[in-house]
Amino acid sequence: MAQPRSEGPTNGDQPRPAVIDATNKRIIELLQSDGRKPFVSIAQDVGLSEGAVRQRVQRLTDAGVMQIVAVTDPLVVGFTRQAMIGVRTRGDVGPIADQLCAIPQVDYVVTTAGSFDLLVEVVCEGDAELLDLLMTRIRTVPGVTDTETFVYLKLNKQHYDWGTR
């Protein structure tokens, strides 16, 4: 599944969206709907040769515009506990976010405005791992002042096919 990403910062804070042409956008959309779609099929759709599509996909991935990854259902592969953790911090949030990003069970970290400074999604094998993660890895990060955990009861939707608009 292809997931768009943005390129480097413009002012140190905000990522700058990647500039891509209509053909690259269509290639991304096709890969978002099926990350294993053959380049020959994509080439027919966008009117290029298979080699040209292969080069464009390589440039897009090398530039960090997209990744092509396998998205799994955590329950099926043995991870029975997912949660979103709201984190409140003191001081510079950047180094705290960096430390949380380094934790293997953490799959998503976003800096936010509002009642939490960070939202951290975790995928764990069960409640015991989640409890240990909270107590020994997340709450012990210097600058973390408070956490609130939202345990997932059911994953209703997880899609990455929003296109390129």
Side-chain angles (χ1 to χ4, degrees):
M1 181 111 358
Q3 300 176 24
R5 297 189 322 185
S6 33
E7 286 184 337
T10 54
N11 64 9
D13 297 17
Q14 299 298 318
R16 182 186 40 162
V19 178
I20 53 176
D21 65 17
T23 301
N24 282 351
K25 286 182 179 184
R26 182 65 183 145
I27 290 169
I28 290 169
E29 289 167 356
L30 290 166
L31 287 170
Q32 281 181 321
S33 66
D34 179 1
R36 297 182 345 149
K37 189 170 189 71
F39 289 150
V40 67
S41 297
I42 295 170
Q44 290 171 351
D45 188 287
V46 299
L48 295 175
S49 70
E50 179 182 358
V53 168
R54 185 178 309 281
Q55 287 177 341
R56 281 176 177 252
V57 169
Q58 189 63 53
R59 282 195 299 264
L60 290 166
T61 55
D62 288 348
V65 173
M66 69 175 183
Q67 301 174 54
I68 300 174
V69 299
V71 178
T72 61
D73 179 339
L75 291 173
V76 174
V77 293
F79 297 102
T80 61
R81 179 54 67 218
Q82 289 180 269
M84 183 67 69
I85 303 167
V87 179
R88 292 183 183 94
T89 65
R90 176 184 63 254
D92 185 0
V93 73
I96 298 166
D98 291 344
Q99 287 186 55
L100 295 174
C101 287
I103 299 171
Q105 294 90 338
V106 171
D107 69 352
Y108 176 83
V109 177
V110 62
T111 302
T112 64
S115 62
F116 298 107
D117 299 306
L118 298 166
L119 291 177
V120 178
E121 185 179 56
V122 298
V123 179
C124 299
E125 291 180 11
D127 289 338
E129 184 180 19
L130 175 59
L131 179 62
D132 181 64
L133 180 66
L134 279 167
M135 298 303 179
T136 67
R137 302 289 309 273
I138 294 175
R139 291 182 177 167
T140 60
V141 171
V144 170
T145 61
D146 187 36
T147 64
E148 186 173 348
T149 303
F150 302 90
V151 173
Y152 295 4
L153 299 177
K154 179 181 176 185
L155 183 60
N156 296 305
K157 181 178 181 179
Q158 182 179 21
H159 289 266
Y160 301 97
D161 57 355
W162 54 82
T164 56
R165 296 185 192 130

